[in-house]
Amino acid sequence: MTQTLNEDGTGMVEIPYKWYAGIGKADNKQVAIELAQREAYATISRMLSNAVLDKANRGNVVPNGKVQQALNTYWEQVSTSLQKGCEPFGNVTVEYSKATGMYNVTAKVGIRGDRFNEMINSAGNYKPDNLAGEDLEQFIEINKSIMEAAKGN
């Protein structure tokens, strides 16, 4: 939860956010911050890619087959959309180690919970044009399980 301006900008409201953290380590503070932010965005891709692989394996999808390729392509697009919807979130934590001369930074990026849910929920309605019959049914079933995994269910 974070506080933000309400719709008309006259007051503060609490809004839930879905956020992702990244860690960066460098001998330059600004570089460590940038690495941590990039890592936070990369976390989104990894989380969705892992969900796709896991659910495809459990659904007995043919590796590199039409269904697998359609799932990969679609969820890469969802990942990109989520990343574009994110913004820096919360405070950046910076720790400096005199012993190593390195900065350890934790940064977060977040997306409003309602926008996150809207993107993920719309994923359940997608049907690729190049799939039909059993392939399409398999795609829909696995796509819904990926959607649930992305929401944390």
Side-chain angles (χ1 to χ4, degrees), residues 20-141:
Y20 305 88
I23 297 172
K25 187 174 184 178
D27 61 359
N28 177 287
K29 183 178 176 181
Q30 188 59 40
V31 170
I33 291 170
E34 290 174 18
L35 289 172
Q37 289 172 333
R38 278 193 225 143
E39 182 62 25
Y41 283 105
T43 300
I44 298 167
S45 293
R46 272 195 306 279
M47 185 253 324
L48 291 176
S49 291
N50 288 342
V52 170
L53 288 173
D54 178 56
K55 300 304 179 183
N57 285 339
R58 290 179 189 208
N60 295 319
V61 172
V62 175
N64 295 320
K66 285 197 274 186
V67 175
Q68 179 75 53
Q69 290 174 0
L71 288 166
N72 289 344
T73 300
Y74 181 65
W75 283 97
E76 284 173 15
Q77 293 170 358
V78 172
S79 173
T80 300
S81 295
L82 282 174
Q83 289 173 357
K84 288 182 180 181
C86 283
E87 58 193 57
F89 181 77
N91 296 323
V92 173
T93 305
V94 179
E95 296 173 353
Y96 179 72
S97 170
K98 289 181 183 178
T100 62
M102 300 293 275
Y103 290 91
N104 292 314
V105 175
T106 301
K108 298 177 196 169
V109 297
I111 184 170
R112 284 178 47 151
D114 57 343
R115 292 183 183 144
F116 174 83
N117 283 334
E118 185 180 306
M119 284 184 194
I120 297 301
N121 288 338
S122 68
N125 300 324
Y126 178 72
K127 294 176 180 77
D129 294 336
N130 65 333
L131 297 179
E134 287 182 29
D135 287 342
L136 181 58
E137 288 176 26
Q138 187 179 38
F139 177 92
I140 291 169
E141 181 180 324

